């Protein structure tokens, strides 16, 4: 392979150290290495944006590869192609000359090809007496062979990122549909709740989706939209359970009233000693843990607590819980109050509750008493962190947290 020496560009094109490194790298290709040229072209196409190329750049690369007679790029083969600009224009379907030259330069800058210029800048091949190419001047395709593994890896990452982006967009579309229809159903069927305010939150979230969103945009809005959906479902579920419990209580009360008094007297013990019963301790209600919210959403809502994390930052749920312990002590919340909150709400949600209290500390007279009140309400299924977090996210000056 005729790539063992460094050649400088013809004319006014400058020589750079990057160009030197690329030419040296082509001389260090592993012996016997080969790659199917159209496979590496597909990888380069997938990695186009990462390489700083445009669609016309790929058209020019496709044309250059078409001038290489074999299907495989091999380390021991002659990898310099030498088509004229006129021939390249034909194979790029009439691309303008200035456009062709610009994209040839882009391919060189991206490190996919190297110019091997002759003394006069012309592209040609010199053959020996046996008719074999002895030396050629034009465009060296060796860098494509040298970087084949790198291009394949970049292409895989690009495909994976594109797939993840598509899934995130689909999830956001489904979540938006769910929220919109749940709100409409609640309003049309007269469910209790401030559905106009919830609808306003939904409209504000939807309006923040850019025309051309990035993965970060989609992820952040999806986290908040999923949080809103969970809050709506929890509210509707709480109402359904409340209606069921009220109906069931009325049914039981009616059943007791219709029962015969003597039958109740027979079933009711006259004393614990007569029945041999032991005094029973009141059992703790079977509390369903509150659902942990995405950490990114929590940190957006509770920005102050990050200052109390390890090293002055919070990067994980463990960091948030460590910060909550510091804040708990600072706010004067007793260890027992915080421990009870952890048992009822779960340690993650207890930490979130402390973060919310910190955000509104100037409005809360007794943080410890307030946390105990939240814990009791959570134990009865009457408290959800969703409205608090959404209120803090909106940062509209109002607060769902009130001093006790």
């Amino acid at each position: 392979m005729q790539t063992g020496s460094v050649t400088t560009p013809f004319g006014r094109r400058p020589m750079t150290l990057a160009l030197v490194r690329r030419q040296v790298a082509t001389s260090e290709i592993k012996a016997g290495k080969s790659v199917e040229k159209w496979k590496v072209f597909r990888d380069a196409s997938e990695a186009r944006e990462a390489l700083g190329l445009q669609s016309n750049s790929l058209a020019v690369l496709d044309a250059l590869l078409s001038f290489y007679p074999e299907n495989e790029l091999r380390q021991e083969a002659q990898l310099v192609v030498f088509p004229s600009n006129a021939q390249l224009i034909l194979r790029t379907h009439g691309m303008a000359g200035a456009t062709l030259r610009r994209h040839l330069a882009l391919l060189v800058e991206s490190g996919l090809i190297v110019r091997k210029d002759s003394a006069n800048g012309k592209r040609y091949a010199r053959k020996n007496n046996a008719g074999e190419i002895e030396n050629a001047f034009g465009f060296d395709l060796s860098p494509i062979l040298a970087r084949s593994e790198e291009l394949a890896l970049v292409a895989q990452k690009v495909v994976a990122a594109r797939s993840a982006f598509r899934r995130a967009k689909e999830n956001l579309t489904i979540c938006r549909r769910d929220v919109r229809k749940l709100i409409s159903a609640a309003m049309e069927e007269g469910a209790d709740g401030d559905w106009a305010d919830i609808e306003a939150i939904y409209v504000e979230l939807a309006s923040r989706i850019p025309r051309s969103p990035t993965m970060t945009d989609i992820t952040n809005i999806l986290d908040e939209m999923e949080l809103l959906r969970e809050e709506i479902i929890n509210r509707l579920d709480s109402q359904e359970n409340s209606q069921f419990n009220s109906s069931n209580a009325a049914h039981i009360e009616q059943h007791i009233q219709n029962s015969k008094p003597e039958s109740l007297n027979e079933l009711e013990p006259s004393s614990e000693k007569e029945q041999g019963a032991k005094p029973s301790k009141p059992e703790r209600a079977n509390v369903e843990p509150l659902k942990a919210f995405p950490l990114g959403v929590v940190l957006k809502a509770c920005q102050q607590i990050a200052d109390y994390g390890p090293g002055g930052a919070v990067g994980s749920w463990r960091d948030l819980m460590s910060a909550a312990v510091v804040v708990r002590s600072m706010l004067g919340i007793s260890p027992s109050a915080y421990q009870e909150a952890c048992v009822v709400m779960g340690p993650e949600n207890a930490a979130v509750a402390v973060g919310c209290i910190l955000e509104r500390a100037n409005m809360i007279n007794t943080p410890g008493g307030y946390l105990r009140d939240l814990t009791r309400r959570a134990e009865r299924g009457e408290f959800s962190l969703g409205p608090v977090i959404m209120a803090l996210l909106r940062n509209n000056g109002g607060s769902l947290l009130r001093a006790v």
Side-chain angles (χ1 to χ4, degrees):
M1 183 175 65
Q2 301 175 14
T3 55
S5 60
V6 173
T7 60
T8 57
F10 172 77
R12 287 183 287 182
R13 289 193 297 271
M15 185 66 178
T16 64
L17 295 180
L19 185 58
V20 174
R21 287 194 295 270
R22 291 169 192 159
Q23 293 191 37
V24 170
T26 60
S27 64
E28 298 174 351
I29 299 175
K30 184 179 178 180
K33 182 178 181 179
S34 65
V35 65
E36 201 271 312
K37 66 179 182 181
W38 297 120
K39 179 184 181 302
V40 75
F41 174 75
R42 288 192 295 272
D43 290 339
S45 299
E46 293 288 0
R48 182 190 71 183
E49 293 184 2
L51 295 170
L53 300 178
Q54 303 171 10
S55 57
N56 280 341
S57 306
L58 297 176
V60 174
L61 181 60
D62 177 81
L64 289 173
L65 287 171
S66 71
F67 282 100
Y68 181 73
E70 299 181 28
N71 193 47
E72 284 194 344
L73 301 174
R74 293 178 290 106
Q75 179 267 339
E76 69 275 8
Q78 165 60 254
L79 296 180
V80 177
V81 293
F82 39 91
S84 65
N85 281 0
Q87 290 173 312
L88 286 172
I89 287 172
L90 285 176
R91 295 209 183 179
T92 54
H93 307 287
M95 182 180 293
T99 303
L100 173 68
R101 290 189 292 274
R102 184 169 69 254
H103 288 288
L104 283 170
L106 282 176
L107 290 172
V108 173
E109 290 174 10
S110 67
L112 292 183
I113 62 174
V114 172
R115 292 181 187 271
K116 186 179 180 184
D117 290 343
S118 63
N120 60 6
K122 300 295 184 181
R123 301 172 201 149
Y124 61 90
R126 182 181 296 113
K127 298 183 180 180
N128 57 22
N129 295 333
E132 298 174 344
I133 295 179
E134 185 178 57
N135 203 358
F137 300 95
F139 299 103
D140 191 350
L141 303 177
S142 300
I144 298 178
L145 175 60
R147 300 179 61 187
S148 59
E149 296 89 353
E150 175 194 346
L151 292 173
L153 183 60
V154 173
Q156 290 174 9
K157 291 181 178 179
V158 168
V159 171
R162 186 187 303 131
S163 178
F165 183 67
R166 183 174 61 252
R167 288 195 303 270
K169 288 184 67 176
E170 290 174 352
N171 291 338
L172 179 57
T173 299
I174 293 172
C175 191
R176 286 183 62 186
R177 182 187 67 199
D178 292 346
V179 171
R180 176 67 271 177
K181 292 194 173 185
L182 286 170
I183 293 174
S184 298
M187 297 176 77
E188 291 171 3
E189 299 182 21
D192 293 336
D194 51 347
W195 297 109
D197 291 344
I198 294 177
E199 184 178 37
I201 296 173
Y202 165 77
V203 171
E204 190 272 334
L205 280 177
S207 68
R208 283 166 43 197
I209 303 175
R211 184 178 297 274
S212 300
T214 63
M215 184 64 174
T216 301
D217 295 330
I218 294 293
T219 301
N220 291 341
I221 296 174
L222 178 59
D223 284 344
E224 297 183 34
M225 193 70 74
E226 287 179 337
L227 175 61
L228 182 59
R229 180 176 61 185
E230 289 296 328
E231 178 59 27
I232 293 172
I233 292 174
N234 287 340
R235 290 193 179 197
L236 295 176
D237 186 54
S238 296
Q239 290 186 28
E240 182 179 348
N241 290 337
S242 177
Q243 292 173 2
F244 173 79
N245 291 336
S246 298
S247 175
N248 193 37
H251 175 74
I252 292 173
E253 183 179 357
Q254 182 179 6
H255 175 75
I256 292 174
Q257 290 175 351
N258 293 336
S259 299
K260 294 181 180 180
E262 56 270 21
S263 63
L264 291 177
N265 291 334
E266 290 174 0
L267 294 175
E268 184 179 352
S270 57
S271 69
E272 291 183 353
K273 290 183 179 180
E274 288 182 9
Q275 299 298 322
K278 296 181 180 179
S280 59
K281 295 182 181 179
E283 295 182 0
R284 175 182 292 273
N286 185 16
V287 180
E288 181 180 355
L290 297 175
K291 189 168 184 178
F293 301 99
L295 181 60
V297 173
V298 171
L299 294 179
K300 285 182 181 178
C302 308
Q303 298 178 6
Q304 296 184 46
I305 198 169
D307 296 334
Y308 300 91
V314 170
S316 65
W317 281 105
R318 183 180 296 275
D319 291 347
L320 181 66
M321 289 185 284
S322 298
V325 172
V326 177
V327 172
R328 187 272 305 164
S329 177
M330 182 187 72
L331 293 177
I333 299 173
S334 66
S336 61
Y338 185 64
Q339 178 61 28
E340 186 177 4
C342 290
V343 171
V344 173
M345 301 182 187
E348 294 87 355
N349 288 293
V352 174
V354 170
C356 293
I357 293 174
L358 177 63
E359 290 294 310
R360 293 292 182 264
N362 60 331
M363 302 176 62
I364 300 173
N365 296 329
T366 55
Y370 184 70
L371 181 61
R372 286 190 185 276
D373 181 66
L374 292 185
T375 302
R376 287 193 296 269
R377 289 164 56 192
E379 196 170 21
R380 297 193 300 265
E382 298 173 356
F383 170 69
S384 172
L385 284 167
V388 182
I389 293 177
M390 294 307 298
L392 293 174
L393 283 171
R394 290 198 304 273
N395 194 23
N396 59 1
S399 175
L400 295 179
L401 290 170
R402 297 183 181 178
V404 296

